[in-house]
Amino acid sequence: MQMGDETRQRVKFTDDRVCKSHLLDCCPHDILAGTRMDLGECTKIHDLALRADYEIASKERDLFFELDAMDHLESFIAECDRRTELAKKRLAETQEEISAEVSAKAEKVHELNEDIGKLLAKAEQLGAEGNVDESQKILMEVEKVRAKKKEAEEEYRNSMPASSFQQQKLRVCEVCSAYLGLHDNDRRLADHFGGKLHLGFIQIREKLDQLRKTVAEKQEKRNQDRLRRREEREREERMGRRSGSRNRDRRRSRSRERRRRRSRSASRERRKSRSRSRERHRRHRSRSRSHSRGHRRGSRDRSSKHKGRCQTLFSSRCRVTKSPGLSKRWNPKSIAGVESGSRAESRWLRRNHRTL
């Protein structure tokens, strides 16, 4: 299918609408165009500009379009082979049945005819290219094959009745499915084997073999690359697992170290706290003892002062005991401490200051 300018600007060679066989220059629609088996226009896009783009891109990366082209040619050749088998069946039904020995001799004549036709076609091609010497050598080989063919025809003629020998024995070409006659002359054979139809099928079959080999090589390479990537990925995973294990060990080690540091820090804090508590307790006890000693010392001082006052007063009493007024007012219990302190003393002195 041809493209317009507007479509050509939108379509790339990677588009599914583009014929991959055309990009690889092996589309049967192009090769067999103008023959009696012309397939007509291809249903996919054919454009030489897209082929040029593909050839440039294929040098930079592998697009693997060979697989699509191989599938296309395999489908076409399978259909051609199917038609060849049907033609053979029709010939077997229409032609007179002959014995296996006669059939083998006829087959030998057909093979020699094919050899003559192929050699003549090759000689014409070399002559057209200007290689005259090679063309002459091939023509000499043709003469030798013609001599062999003449002997084979004699054997075939002698093996069957003359009436049957005059009948045209046909054969189906294994390459292009065309009919070949047992008694075809060299010109007819050369035209067939050097014709566009037969050479086109040869080109298609050779291209198919080449594509199969290319696809097999690329698939093998791709499988090796896939296997290598898988091995590298597995190796990286193993290294990652080892690294992860080492990282986990390091993390566990760091975690244990942190726990030990926290434990040591907590122990130090507890020891410091206990030490501070003991120090506070010691200071408290020291203050308590100091306060108790001060209190006892003050109590002893007050007691000693009181005792001194009492002793002084008692001594005074003893000195003034003979005074009748003082003896009546004297209360030993007040001096003994029932009314303790300065109030009792003051009260007693107020009562007896005149007497004293």
Side-chain angles (χ1 to χ4, degrees):
M1 182 176 66
Q2 301 299 323
M3 292 194 307
D5 294 337
E6 185 178 352
T7 307
R8 184 180 292 107
Q9 294 177 358
R10 295 195 305 266
V11 176
K12 304 297 181 182
F13 67 89
T14 55
D15 197 298
D16 291 337
R17 294 175 293 174
V18 177
C19 179
K20 303 305 185 291
S21 299
H22 170 72
L23 297 179
L24 292 166
D25 194 20
C26 61
C27 181
H29 294 267
D30 292 338
I31 296 174
L32 300 179
T35 67
R36 66 179 181 84
M37 289 187 64
D38 193 330
L39 302 174
E41 189 175 352
C42 183
T43 58
K44 293 193 174 183
I45 297 173
H46 285 204
D47 187 63
L48 295 177
L50 295 177
R51 182 188 294 176
D53 293 341
Y54 164 74
E55 290 174 355
I56 295 173
S58 61
K59 296 178 182 178
E60 299 177 356
R61 66 183 187 278
D62 187 8
L63 299 169
F64 214 68
F65 286 171
E66 291 84 357
L67 182 60
D68 295 332
M70 184 186 73
D71 292 339
H72 183 198
L73 295 188
E74 282 182 342
S75 176
F76 175 76
I77 293 298
E79 178 63 21
C80 181
D81 292 340
R82 187 185 66 82
R83 288 197 303 267
T84 301
E85 294 299 323
L86 289 176
K88 288 180 179 180
K89 289 181 180 179
R90 284 196 297 267
L91 285 179
E93 293 173 357
T94 58
Q95 294 188 134
E96 182 181 353
E97 186 176 355
I98 57 178
S99 64
E101 181 182 359
V102 175
S103 177
K105 292 179 180 180
E107 185 69 22
K108 185 177 180 180
V109 175
H110 277 298
E111 291 177 357
L112 292 172
N113 281 337
E114 289 186 6
D115 293 340
I116 292 172
K118 291 177 181 178
L119 290 172
L120 288 174
K122 188 175 182 181
E124 291 179 0
Q125 181 180 359
L126 291 173
E129 294 174 355
N131 197 344
V132 180
D133 294 337
E134 292 295 329
S135 178
Q136 291 296 327
K137 290 180 180 179
I138 291 177
L139 289 176
M140 293 174 63
E141 293 181 9
V142 170
E143 293 299 328
K144 294 179 181 179
V145 177
R146 282 174 178 169
K148 293 180 180 179
K149 175 189 174 183
K150 188 175 181 180
E151 294 177 0
E153 286 178 341
E154 288 294 332
E155 292 180 3
Y156 174 66
R157 183 184 297 109
N158 295 329
S159 63
M160 60 186 308
S163 59
S164 299
F165 178 77
Q166 294 300 326
Q167 294 179 0
Q168 178 69 292
K169 298 297 182 182
L170 298 178
R171 182 188 179 190
V172 180
C173 179
E174 298 290 343
V175 176
C176 62
S177 304
Y179 289 104
L180 298 175
L182 184 65
H183 305 300
D184 288 343
N185 56 31
D186 294 345
R187 184 70 263 167
R188 169 71 175 86
L189 295 173
D191 290 342
H192 171 77
F193 290 104
K196 187 176 180 180
L197 177 63
H198 188 83
L199 294 178
F201 270 95
I202 289 176
Q203 181 182 348
I204 292 172
R205 292 179 183 274
E206 288 178 351
K207 188 65 177 182
L208 177 58
D209 294 338
Q210 180 183 351
L211 288 174
R212 285 170 176 168
K213 185 182 297 184
T214 302
V215 169
E217 292 175 354
K218 289 189 175 183
Q219 285 180 342
E220 181 65 22
K221 182 180 178 181
R222 178 174 291 186
N223 292 335
Q224 291 177 358
D225 293 341
R226 188 182 295 114
L227 180 61
R228 184 174 62 255
R229 288 195 298 269
R230 183 186 302 170
E231 292 175 353
E232 291 176 356
R233 186 168 57 253
E234 292 176 353
R235 183 165 58 252
E236 290 176 358
E237 289 176 356
R238 288 194 297 270
M239 293 176 64
R241 285 194 293 268
R242 295 195 191 101
S243 177
S245 179
R246 288 194 294 269
N247 291 334
R248 285 194 299 272
D249 293 340
R250 284 196 292 269
R251 287 196 297 269
R252 290 171 181 171
S253 178
R254 288 195 295 267
S255 178
R256 287 193 295 268
E257 185 63 24
R258 285 196 296 270
R259 287 197 296 270
R260 283 195 292 267
R261 286 198 297 268
R262 286 197 295 267
S263 179
R264 288 195 294 267
S265 178
S267 299
R268 286 195 296 271
E269 290 297 328
R270 286 195 295 270
R271 287 196 297 270
K272 289 180 181 178
S273 178
R274 287 195 294 268
S275 178
R276 287 195 295 269
S277 179
R278 286 194 295 269
E279 184 65 24
R280 286 196 299 270
H281 184 64
R282 283 195 297 270
R283 288 197 297 270
H284 179 71
R285 290 181 61 187
S286 177
R287 286 196 298 270
S288 298
R289 291 193 189 100
S290 298
H291 181 71
S292 298
R293 285 195 296 271
H295 180 71
R296 286 195 298 271
R297 190 180 299 113
S299 297
R300 284 195 299 270
D301 293 342
R302 286 193 300 272
S303 179
S304 61
K305 289 179 180 179
H306 179 67
K307 287 181 180 180
R309 286 196 299 269
C310 291
Q311 288 176 357
T312 302
L313 291 174
F314 184 74
S315 299
S316 300
R317 183 191 66 78
C318 292
R319 285 194 302 269
V320 297
T321 302
K322 296 179 180 182
S323 177
L326 184 63
S327 61
K328 292 179 181 180
R329 297 181 185 92
W330 174 254
N331 190 357
K333 292 181 180 180
S334 299
I335 300 194
V338 175
E339 291 183 11
S340 61
S342 59
R343 289 182 299 175
E345 180 182 357
S346 299
R347 197 165 41 250
W348 186 82
L349 290 175
R350 282 197 301 271
R351 287 196 300 267
N352 297 285
H353 71 280
R354 295 180 178 177
T355 304
L356 295 175

